[in-house]
């Protein structure tokens, strides 16, 4: 009974992660599109956000393989398990799918808010991974531990570009 409950908990954790990784890379596509249109000369920032998007997709695929190798699907989760979803709704009053990324990219203050949300979400994720990687139950699943270690290694690259963008914009204020 205990083993089944542990397995179920691990599968729930992995299901939340696969949802969030998918949500991450698919949402970053829209952010990239808007940034390229509004700031086409921001090559370094765009390249770093593109790398963030590739990493999020890579993480999603690792979780997908994790479930495929076990021969079953992840649990169905929705926006209630989306870390960034809550912050987007709180700050912009709508869900990610309804977010007008073009309008946000056109408004410096709104884009800075979006950058802060992405940065906060990624930093929170990095800290959560530190906790998970210390957990004995997680450590008992080698495949899941490997995935979490890859994600943990990638996380600082995910929030840093947004922080750099925000710091640069602070310096530009009159």
């Amino acid at each position: 009974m205990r083993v089944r409950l542990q397995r179920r908990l691990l599968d729930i954790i992995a299901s939340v992660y696969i949802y969030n990784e998918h949500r991450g890379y698919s949402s970053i596509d829209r952010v990239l599109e808007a940034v390229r249109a509004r700031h086409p000369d921001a090559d370094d920032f765009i390249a770093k956000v593109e790398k963030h998007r590739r990493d999020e997709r890579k993480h999603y695929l690792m979780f997908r393989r994790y479930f495929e190798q076990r021969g079953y699907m992840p649990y169905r989760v929705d926006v209630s398990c989306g870390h960034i979803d809550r912050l987007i709704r709180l700050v912009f009053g709508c869900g990610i799918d309804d977010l007008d990324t073009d309008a946000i990219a056109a408004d410096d203050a709104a884009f800075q808010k979006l950058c802060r949300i992405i940065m906060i979400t990624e930093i929170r994720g990095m800290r959560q991974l530190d906790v998970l990687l210390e957990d004995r139950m997680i450590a008992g699943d080698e495949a899941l531990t490997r995935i979490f270690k890859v994600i943990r290694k990638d996380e600082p690259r995910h929030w840093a570009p947004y922080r750099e963008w925000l710091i640069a914009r602070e310096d530009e204020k009159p």
Side-chain angles (χ1 to χ4, degrees):
M1 176 70 141
R2 183 176 180 200
V3 171
R4 279 194 346 213
L5 287 173
Q6 286 178 332
R7 178 76 262 148
R8 184 177 174 128
L9 179 59
L10 292 174
D11 290 344
I12 290 169
I13 291 168
S15 296
V16 169
Y17 266 86
I18 195 171
Y19 171 85
N20 279 288
E21 297 296 343
H22 181 270
R23 195 71 158 160
Y25 86 79
S26 60
S27 296
I28 291 171
D29 284 340
R30 294 174 47 224
V31 172
L32 271 168
E33 202 175 292
V35 171
R36 286 181 186 125
R38 167 79 178 182
H39 303 283
D41 58 332
D43 296 331
D44 187 52
F45 180 62
I46 291 169
K48 288 175 181 176
V49 174
E50 287 171 340
K51 174 64 174 144
H52 178 196
R53 190 253 185 231
R54 283 191 306 275
D55 283 350
E56 295 288 323
R57 185 161 188 327
K58 173 183 75 173
H59 301 163
Y60 163 76
L61 291 172
M62 289 188 301
F63 282 110
R64 193 168 114 184
R65 278 190 298 276
Y66 175 83
F67 283 106
E68 287 171 351
Q69 289 173 348
R70 282 162 179 65
Y72 54 88
M73 299 291 290
Y75 287 97
R76 183 179 302 239
V77 298
D78 60 19
V79 297
S80 64
C81 295
H83 304 302
I84 197 165
D85 293 273
R86 285 188 295 278
L87 291 174
I88 292 290
R89 183 161 302 283
L90 184 69
V91 172
F92 294 107
C94 65
I96 290 176
D97 297 329
D98 299 321
L99 198 61
D100 184 347
T101 49
D102 291 330
I104 288 172
D107 178 338
D108 288 337
F111 188 70
Q112 287 179 11
K113 287 178 185 178
L114 181 61
C115 286
R116 280 187 189 89
I117 289 170
I118 296 169
M119 183 181 76
I120 289 166
T121 300
E122 293 297 332
I123 290 171
R124 187 221 51 85
M126 187 173 68
R127 291 183 178 146
Q128 182 64 45
L129 286 163
D130 291 338
V131 171
L132 289 172
L133 286 168
E134 293 295 319
D135 187 272
R136 288 190 332 219
M137 188 171 34
I138 299 288
D141 187 315
E142 291 178 26
L144 201 52
T145 299
R146 275 194 308 274
I147 292 169
F148 285 147
K149 284 181 178 179
V150 168
I151 296 172
R152 177 58 180 92
K153 187 177 113 255
D154 292 345
E155 285 302 316
R157 280 195 312 264
H158 295 176
W159 58 265
Y162 304 98
R163 180 175 176 264
E164 292 164 6
W165 178 267
L166 290 166
I167 290 169
R169 294 309 164 278
E170 280 296 315
D171 292 342
E172 292 175 3
K173 288 185 177 177

